[in-house]
Amino acid sequence: MESEQGTARYCVIGAGASGLAVAKNFREQGLAFDVFDRHSDVGGLWGYGRPHSAVYRSTRLISSKPMSRFRDFPMDKDLPDYPGQEAVYKYMSDYADRFGLRENIRFETEVERTTRSDSFWDVRL
């Protein structure tokens, strides 16, 4: 994706775990980017009660806390080994805040279509 100024700008679709990790790494590398998420907050599927989320309030991680965490952001030591939905959602929110990612996220913005055109992507919101 190119910005209006003609410089490379990257698009991240979704502010769940993967989107947040990509955004953090893009920021560390000094790359220009925007994150688009159709929800009003970070957390992806872990946002209980959101449209398009299949997670239940009773959902728990099926992988242990040490195996599920972001490498550079440990989960709270007081959490159980397999945290539940609320704790995971808060963890992702805290991650976004800790690394200042929210300023690059456009919430309540759905990506309708992406189309490859030569050396860039057209992203329709």
Side-chain angles (χ1 to χ4, degrees):
M1 179 170 171
E2 277 190 30
S3 69
E4 292 177 8
Q5 295 81 21
T7 58
R9 187 164 194 90
Y10 297 90
C11 171
V12 179
I13 301 173
S18 296
L20 292 174
V22 169
K24 181 200 169 270
N25 283 283
F26 277 4
R27 169 161 292 170
E28 287 177 347
Q29 297 301 313
L31 300 172
F33 69 95
D34 295 295
V35 179
F36 301 103
D37 196 289
R38 63 181 158 190
H39 300 293
S40 60
D41 199 4
V42 300
L45 296 175
W46 287 92
Y48 171 76
R50 292 177 176 177
H52 313 291
S53 175
V55 74
Y56 295 99
R57 173 86 56 207
S58 60
T59 302
R60 304 190 81 66
L61 283 175
I62 60 170
S63 57
S64 67
K65 170 171 78 168
M67 297 301 293
S68 301
R69 70 178 183 86
F70 294 110
R71 180 183 48 82
D72 55 354
F73 193 71
M75 288 188 179
D76 188 321
K77 63 182 174 68
D78 294 331
L79 288 177
D81 286 337
Y82 297 89
Q85 174 275 325
E86 194 172 330
V88 174
Y89 181 78
K90 181 181 181 320
Y91 174 71
M92 285 195 244
S93 182
D94 291 347
Y95 182 83
D97 292 340
R98 166 67 178 84
F99 295 104
L101 303 177
R102 290 179 193 275
E103 66 190 53
N104 288 89
I105 302 172
R106 287 184 46 189
F107 293 110
E108 298 180 350
T109 304
E110 188 164 351
V111 175
E112 293 180 6
R113 184 177 68 217
T114 60
T115 309
R116 180 122 175 118
S117 176
D118 295 326
S119 62
F120 66 93
W121 287 86
D122 178 43
V123 179
R124 182 163 308 246
L125 306 174

